Amino acid sequence: MLALLYDIHGNLPALEAVLADAEAAGADCWLLGGDVAAFGGWPAGVVERLHGLEGAQWLRGNTERELAEPGVLAADELLGAALAAGRDALGEATVAELFGLPERLTLLEGHFCHASPLNDMESFGVEPSGDEDRLLDGVQAQRIVFGHTHVQFTRTRDDGIELINPGSIGIPLDGDQRAAYALLGEDGVLDLRRVAYDHEAAAAGIGERFGGAAWTEIFAGRIRRAAP
């Protein structure tokens, strides 16, 4: 059984709760969909924990890219400070390792990417849009798995392509503070799952780790509210 783990964002308590739930459900394979470390209280701890998942497939998200090559996010003063703090916590070697990950993978279970096959910033919404064919970037897989928006959902397009967003483990933004992830069974059945954990402690942990820097309240508030 394949566990789809997306947008952990350095939230180790949420990750531990999800891993326990997934293992109890029979997960034995792991797909890590990017944005694993930055913005939470445990960047290095999350990476270390994920390294312990034997045979895990890793993807690069937009924050892994910007940790190594600052861009749109880093241009914002507060987000730039958050990325700098994550970069310092991880160290140059880990930042380089994460930057070198593939942007997308095609496996038997489908096509996996961070935001869309097109790039790591533009993604699919809960409701259909006229722009989706461009986002597919010519990918022919009947199942596309992505994250980035931190909103858990699945829907099937008129052409039969199934779009799956497992949601965010570390910073859900759909009004539900529980960590979100998904399981794919060997029979192809999808199970979207939510796991309760101490999100208040996870929110507080950001300020505790990074000394109350101005940016920490942004992400602590998102964890507490499960909203932007």
Side-chain angles (χ1 to χ4, degrees):
M1 183 178 294
L2 177 64
L4 308 175
L5 312 181
Y6 273 72
D7 295 290
I8 302 164
H9 283 291
N11 189 337
L12 186 59
L15 175 61
E16 292 288 11
V18 163
L19 293 179
D21 184 77
E23 289 169 351
D28 53 5
C29 301
W30 314 91
L31 191 288
L32 313 179
D35 283 12
V36 298
F39 306 150
W42 299 266
V46 163
V47 174
E48 181 180 6
R49 183 69 174 90
L50 294 175
H51 277 150
L53 298 179
E54 186 175 352
Q57 300 267 18
W58 295 60
L59 293 174
R60 189 180 81 186
N62 61 298
T63 60
E64 281 85 28
R65 174 174 51 78
E66 293 225 10
L67 284 168
E69 294 185 349
V72 174
L73 296 183
D76 178 276
E77 181 178 357
L78 291 179
L79 293 180
L83 287 165
R87 189 178 304 117
D88 290 343
L90 292 167
E92 291 184 8
T94 299
V95 168
E97 172 196 342
L98 296 176
F99 180 72
L101 295 171
E103 294 183 54
R104 57 193 206 180
L105 293 169
T106 298
L107 306 173
L108 291 176
E109 295 89 350
H111 185 85
F112 301 85
C113 50
H114 179 66
S116 71
L118 182 65
N119 60 49
D120 62 14
M121 288 293 287
E122 298 179 84
S123 196
F124 306 93
V126 176
E127 298 298 328
S129 74
D131 200 34
E132 289 184 354
D133 288 347
R134 183 179 68 89
L135 297 180
L136 289 171
D137 197 33
V139 170
Q140 299 298 308
Q142 287 300 105
R143 172 176 274 162
I144 309 292
V145 181
F146 57 95
H148 187 61
T149 64
H150 297 209
V151 176
Q152 186 183 67
F153 73 92
T154 182
R155 63 178 168 86
T156 301
R157 290 169 27 114
D158 291 342
D159 60 4
I161 294 176
E162 184 182 14
L163 300 175
I164 298 171
N165 188 329
S168 171
I169 290 176
I171 312 177
L173 297 178
D174 54 6
D176 185 341
Q177 288 93 346
R178 295 175 299 167
Y181 81 106
L183 294 173
L184 269 176
E186 294 182 2
D187 55 2
V189 173
L190 174 71
D191 182 11
L192 296 178
R193 299 174 73 90
R194 304 301 288 246
V195 184
Y197 75 104
D198 190 346
H199 65 275
E200 286 288 348
I206 304 176
E208 292 168 2
R209 171 63 178 81
F210 294 105
W215 64 268
T216 63
E217 277 306 306
I218 295 175
F219 295 101
R222 291 179 181 180
I223 291 172
R224 290 188 175 105
R225 298 187 305 271

